[in-house]
Structures are given as C-alpha cells and as structure tokens.
Amino acid sequence: MWQELIETLNDLNKTYRALIALSEKKHKALIVIDLKSIEAMNGEEAKLTQRIRALEMKRQKALIDLAVENRAITKDTKMKDLARFAPTPNHRLLIEKLHAALDASTKRAQELAENNRVLIEGALSAVTYHLNRIGGTKVEPTYGSGGQEVLSHGRNFEYDA
C-alpha cells in the first residue's frame, strides 16, 4: 500500500508538471491571441485535469487502505505526519519529498490558471468592446434594474449598400 501511495504521488507530480508546462504555453498563446493553439491546448488541458482527478481518487483510496491497516492514521492526518508511519526510512523520505514537490506544483498550477483566467477575461472584454463599436452599441455609465449594463444603440441611417 505504501508503494502504491508513492507511485500515485509520483504520477500526480508528473501530471502537474505537464499541466504547468501547458499552462505556461497557453499563457504565451493568450498574450498573442493564437486561437488555434489555445483551442488545441484546451483539449490537452482537459485530458490532464481528468488524469489528475483519477489519480486523486487513487491517492484517496490508498490513504483509506493505510488508515484501515493502521488505526493511528485518521482522515485529519497531514501528509507530513503520515510519513512517520512509513515502514522504512526510504519510504518516509520519498513520501516527504513527493508531498513537498506536489504542494509546490499545485500552488504553481493554481497561480498560472488564475493568470490565464485574467488574460481570458481581458481578451473577452476587448472583443465585446470592438463588437459593440462595430455594431454602434454604447455602454452607458449606469446600470439597469437587474444590475445589467445599459446599452444604447446608435442610429445610423446612412447605409452604403
């Protein structure tokens, strides 16, 4: 069971590193608004997040199995505390290192996801602005009763058909 946990943590680390690399690539594509690359990356990102979900379920199962084997391990046991129950010093060291790496990877992945979210929102705002400008729509500096923006439409009767 300990070896299974170690292998799962290692796989999680590898998958998060792949997700981080993809997120960094996606960040660059968002800056230059390379929509084809972004679309391709979205599919790859979905596969990686699905893999992470499956590995997380496997990790939780391994932890439950360890808790059944050793009653001192509870659902509230932290990973660094769990390492002290490892059967060998080598297992303990591996669990501590893998947990530290996984912690750093998840934080970095969350940071990159947030940065990319901000870029996506900015790009959508720019698109909305340009579509409104092309369509002759203007957002008023007031809000409607439902908290929505109030739009006014310019009337342009001089069409060059």
Side-chain angles (χ1 to χ4, degrees):
M1 283 183 256
W2 288 97
Q3 193 59 37
E4 182 181 337
L5 178 63
I6 289 169
E7 289 170 6
T8 303
L9 290 174
N10 192 41
D11 288 345
L12 271 167
N13 272 311
K14 288 177 186 176
T15 308
Y16 268 106
R17 282 195 300 270
L19 183 63
I20 288 168
L22 182 66
S23 292
E24 289 169 344
K25 234 170 93 175
K26 188 174 183 179
H27 186 83
K28 291 174 185 173
L30 283 167
I31 289 172
V32 297
I33 309 174
D34 181 1
L35 297 179
K36 284 187 179 184
S37 294
I38 293 168
E39 188 175 346
M41 286 183 232
N42 284 343
E44 195 176 334
E45 188 177 50
K47 289 176 187 173
L48 287 172
T49 54
Q50 180 65 29
R51 173 104 172 108
I52 288 171
R53 249 184 251 116
L55 287 168
E56 273 299 320
M57 288 173 49
K58 187 176 176 182
R59 182 187 66 85
Q60 289 174 359
K61 183 189 175 310
L63 291 173
I64 290 169
D65 291 345
L66 289 172
V68 167
E69 182 182 283
N70 183 345
R71 293 291 177 194
I73 299 171
T74 67
K75 66 178 183 171
D76 299 323
T77 303
K78 305 286 183 211
M79 194 62 100
K80 62 183 176 183
D81 297 331
L82 178 72
R84 74 171 198 241
F85 295 113
T88 67
N90 190 35
H91 281 94
R92 179 181 179 163
L93 183 64
L94 279 171
I95 289 172
E96 288 172 348
K97 283 185 177 183
L98 288 169
H99 171 65
L102 184 59
D103 191 44
S105 294
T106 55
K107 286 178 183 172
R108 179 70 179 141
Q110 288 173 342
E111 178 184 296
L112 287 167
E114 179 61 24
N115 290 344
N116 288 345
R117 186 189 61 77
V118 169
L119 283 176
I120 290 167
E121 287 177 0
L124 287 174
S125 293
V127 167
T128 301
Y129 168 78
H130 287 294
L131 286 174
N132 287 340
R133 187 177 57 82
I134 290 168
T137 305
K138 185 172 102 178
V139 176
E140 298 294 329
T142 59
Y143 289 94
S145 62
Q148 302 294 321
E149 295 174 330
V150 175
L151 300 175
S152 62
H153 300 276
R155 297 182 187 251
N156 186 357
F157 295 112
E158 298 177 26
Y159 294 107
D160 289 334

